[in-house]
Amino acid sequence: MTTHKTDVIVLGAGIVGVSAALHLQQRGRAVVLVDRQQPGEGTSYGNAGLIENASVIPYMFPRDLRHLLRYALNRTADVHYRLIDAPSFVPWLVRYFLASSPEGTMRSAMAALPLIKRSLIEHEALIAQAGVPELLRYTGWIKLFRSEASLAKALAELETARGLGVDGTVLDPAAIAAREPLLRGAFTGAIHWPTPGFIPDPGGLVRAYADLFERRGGRVLLGDAATLEGARDGWRIAQPDGALVARDVVVALGPWSDQVFRPLGYRIPLGVKRGYHQHFKPRDNAVLRHPVLDADRGYLLAPMNRGIRLTTGAEFARRDAPPTPVQIARTVPVARELFPLGEAIEPQPWLGARPCLPDMLPVIGRAPRHPGLWFDFGHQHHGLTLGPATGRLLAELMTGETPFADPTPFAAERFS
Ligand SMILES: Cc1cc2nc3c(=O)[nH]c(=O)nc-3n(C[C@H](O)[C@H](O)[C@H](O)COP(=O)(O)OP(=O)(O)OC[C@H]3O[C@@H](n4cnc5c(N)ncnc54)[C@H](O)[C@@H]3O)c2cc1C
């Protein structure tokens, strides 16, 4: 049996773990990334590909009665829940609701703002170093509205966003047709957010970042994070031929992070919002130029390299419950009316789980009671966006540099 040594073990090779590994490596640390599968095959594979630097208001729990009643009936496409799993998620939903007051929403927005503003800049640097410029498109994305009420609400949100330094272009139906000639529907208007980046292969981007990490001398190993245990002077993880030991370990396991923090006694309220996707061939070589969110119908179409990816909103269920892709079933017929979608590329939809804390902020920083244990998880709807920026923040904290953003709102202590 052999014991291998390194400076830092990063558990989880999604966008969050790979980005943290790269930032630590840039600061002179010997880093080993450990995952039970290849980099970028977890949640980071299946998202909508948006580097969402325009999304400055977090997705909080709705507080108006109309929305609450709609969701309670469980017939909408944007939100679905598995009633049988209610005991597992209702206590979390109560905390989410409580964190979603207007003041709480603005607190979370202001805390995340420096990370969001940094998000595309950090990706651009890594994309250039990884040599994959074709994986970043500067199209922005379009949010479509079909009712006057939802357009009016969005215009009010646009004003708030403008106050935070983010601008969007309001489109009337003619302007929508000019930008996306093949869309069909009775739209009241749309907002084009021009600044977000679009990644047409999110899993491929994580692989490209992991390749860059390996080219620079980093190692990517298969392993099970659940074998983590304290060792003399640090932490140890099981390997087929023995063990890997490091002084520091980073938990970047996305929705599975509780596998490590719970046995160590941390009661961090990590919940999940599950989400599905499925790819479709475009009919007659139809081209979708931007990712498009059909806001009133609750789904998004994104022109990925693999095909047109339809992604769904949130499903509340146990993380590991069997798939119940009713949101795919409800939205595909509507999406076919919006855009000429051909046959499905995969027989079954993909299922993933957005890792969420009730205040919609990630946990970044040291574990309060275990020296050498660091947290970097809970990136909710914006993990692809925030992975590199939070990787920088974590690496700065671990190496004693001055952090570029105030880390206090992300501390695990906020739940003690
Ligand atoms: C439908 C959908 C659409 C989305 N759209 C967007 C978007 O447009 N823009 C955006 O910014 N974000 C989006 N997101 C959110 C984003 O995808 C996530 O926040 C992000 O992928 C989380 O990254 P992560 O690295 O924390 O987790 P993951 O990518 O899940 O990585 C965690 C890793 O841990 C590994 N792991 C788990 N258990 C173990 C174990 N025991 N041992 C070893 N390894 C283990 C897994 O294999 C996995 O590779 C979307 C999410 C969904 C579901």
Side-chain angles (χ1 to χ4, degrees), residues 195-327:
T195 58
F198 172 59
I199 306 292
D201 179 1
L205 184 76
V206 179
R207 276 197 307 281
Y209 287 179
D211 289 346
L212 172 67
F213 169 74
E214 287 190 294
R215 281 203 298 280
R216 291 177 168 170
R219 279 187 302 153
V220 181
L221 298 179
L222 286 175
D224 182 0
T227 65
L228 183 75
E229 55 183 13
R232 202 155 46 89
D233 299 335
W235 297 89
R236 168 205 306 270
I237 184 155
Q239 281 290 290
D241 62 343
L244 177 65
V245 176
R247 202 189 57 184
D248 291 302
V249 63
V250 176
V251 182
L253 295 163
W256 297 278
S257 298
D258 59 337
Q259 290 179 4
V260 168
F261 70 69
R262 192 171 296 151
L264 292 171
Y266 292 97
R267 294 167 63 87
I268 299 171
L270 180 67
V272 293
K273 293 188 192 177
R274 305 204 311 176
Y276 298 83
H277 85 220
Q278 194 163 18
H279 291 96
F280 296 85
K281 289 184 184 160
R283 249 194 298 126
D284 306 325
N285 295 321
V287 173
L288 184 67
R289 297 175 181 166
H290 314 74
V292 171
L293 174 65
D294 193 348
D296 292 310
R297 303 282 162 88
Y299 68 95
L300 184 142
L301 294 182
M304 294 287 172
N305 290 346
R306 192 170 157 72
I308 305 288
R309 181 180 283 187
L310 184 155
T311 58
T312 66
E315 182 181 59
F316 293 99
R318 276 182 301 113
R319 182 194 60 205
D320 302 326
T324 42
V326 290
Q327 288 160 294

Side-chain angles (χ1 to χ4, degrees), residues 16 35 37 43-44 47-48 50 224-225 259 380-381 383-385:
V16 171
D35 201 299
Q37 49 188 350
T43 325
S44 301
N47 52 62
L50 301 175
D224 182 0
Q259 290 179 4
Q380 32 88 21
H381 297 252
L384 179 68
T385 303

